[in-house]
Amino acid sequence: MSKEPILKIRDLSMTYHRLNGEVKAIERIDLDVYEGEIIGIVGPSGCGKSTLLSIIAGLIKPSSGQVLLNGKKVEKPTKDIGYMFQSDQLFQWRTILDNVLLGLEIQGRVTKESKKNAENMLETYGLGDFINSYPGQLSGGMRQRAALIRTLIVEPKLLLLDEPFSALDYQTRLAISDEVGLILKKEKKTVLMVTHDIAEAISMSDRIVVLSNRPATIKDIIEIKLTVPQGIWSPIKCREAPEFRHYFNKIWKELDVHVK
């Protein structure tokens, strides 16, 4: 990791103005993110996690504070920030290859080389036989993989994942989060990932940001250090680490999870 953060979030707050009054979503958030880090973001339901990602992506303007990517203020969507949503957002009438090329197409960057690169990435990540297939012909996990490749192909400096596996069944979710984690590490991507799954966050993240109830503030930032069996990192193997239960219990208590 470089010593200088790739992403700086400074004194970030967001207040929504509604007919029945003001609603504070997030309040005074400060965070540094370093190149190559995977940062998990967890917090109670409705606390403002997605709002935070939307501000970082430049989709909405904060009430106060700023987001800096490589020293430049983020005020609108940029090709340097990739955003992967909960649903795969694939177009049903486009082939998988055409879906993957969509971002490059919008940016006017489709070339023979970029098309070949897309084909190679699909091949590398197990979708080589489905280049000319349509989304409806793929499983949910395969579609999420294609959506990730579409996001990575434009080579963003920062990748935002908003509960990217929540629409999948549990078994598929485990498998795909493992695959995606390996892809992100292999591609050395800098990632902020919102998830409501504590185990998923621990298994994939270098650090975890724990947010409070709304308005979201940072309660804790936990560095994750796991002893991986056989020394070969993968999210699935991270779940077997002896320290895993300790982190899980710590975050569970931090979230103060209870039924109202």
Side-chain angles (χ1 to χ4, degrees), residues 217-243:
T217 59
I218 294 179
K219 289 185 75 173
D220 201 359
I221 299 176
I222 302 167
E223 187 173 2
I224 304 297
K225 291 187 176 181
L226 300 172
T227 307
V228 181
Q230 300 174 341
I232 302 171
W233 186 91
S234 80
I236 288 288
K237 288 182 179 177
C238 284
R239 292 172 183 254
E240 301 171 19
E243 304 90 350

Side-chain angles (χ1 to χ4, degrees), residues 44-45 213 256-260:
S45 181
N213 274 304
D256 190 24
V257 178
H258 60 279
V259 178
K260 291 183 179 180

Side-chain angles (χ1 to χ4, degrees), residues 140-158:
M142 293 166 78
R143 290 170 59 130
Q144 285 299 91
R145 223 179 304 159
L148 178 64
I149 295 169
R150 180 188 57 196
T151 307
L152 294 177
I153 200 79
V154 297
E155 300 181 327
K157 301 287 192 302
L158 175 69

Side-chain angles (χ1 to χ4, degrees), residues 82-221:
Y83 201 144
M84 187 171 163
F85 298 91
Q86 293 179 25
S87 59
D88 55 64
Q89 306 281 319
L90 298 178
F91 290 118
Q92 301 299 319
W93 60 90
R94 294 178 70 115
T95 66
I96 294 305
L97 178 59
D98 287 341
N99 266 290
V100 165
L101 290 169
L102 183 62
L104 290 174
E105 192 177 308
I106 291 168
Q107 295 175 12
R109 293 168 56 200
V110 176
T111 62
K112 285 184 179 178
E113 291 76 16
S114 65
K115 189 173 180 181
K116 186 63 179 174
N117 184 34
E119 291 173 350
N120 288 340
M121 285 189 76
L122 285 164
E123 184 71 42
T124 299
Y125 298 119
L127 294 172
D129 293 337
F130 301 91
I131 283 176
N132 297 313
S133 299
Y134 291 88
Q137 297 171 292
L138 272 61
S139 68
M142 293 166 78
R143 290 170 59 130
Q144 285 299 91
R145 223 179 304 159
L148 178 64
I149 295 169
R150 180 188 57 196
T151 307
L152 294 177
I153 200 79
V154 297
E155 300 181 327
K157 301 287 192 302
L158 175 69
L159 185 59
L160 307 177
L161 306 181
D162 190 358
E163 298 195 23
F165 317 118
S166 61
L168 305 174
D169 64 81
Y170 184 71
Q171 188 174 357
T172 304
R173 181 175 184 141
L174 278 177
I176 295 301
S177 64
D178 194 59
E179 290 178 13
V180 168
L182 288 167
I183 292 170
L184 295 175
K185 286 290 186 184
K186 184 172 184 282
E187 301 291 333
K188 297 179 180 177
K189 289 299 175 185
T190 307
V191 181
L192 265 68
M193 181 184 72
V194 162
T195 177
H196 63 265
D197 188 322
I198 298 172
E200 186 172 88
I202 298 167
S203 69
M204 293 182 68
S205 305
D206 298 302
R207 290 188 291 152
I208 295 177
V209 175
V210 182
L211 298 178
S212 68
N213 274 304
R214 192 174 64 201
T217 59
I218 294 179
K219 289 185 75 173
D220 201 359
I221 299 176

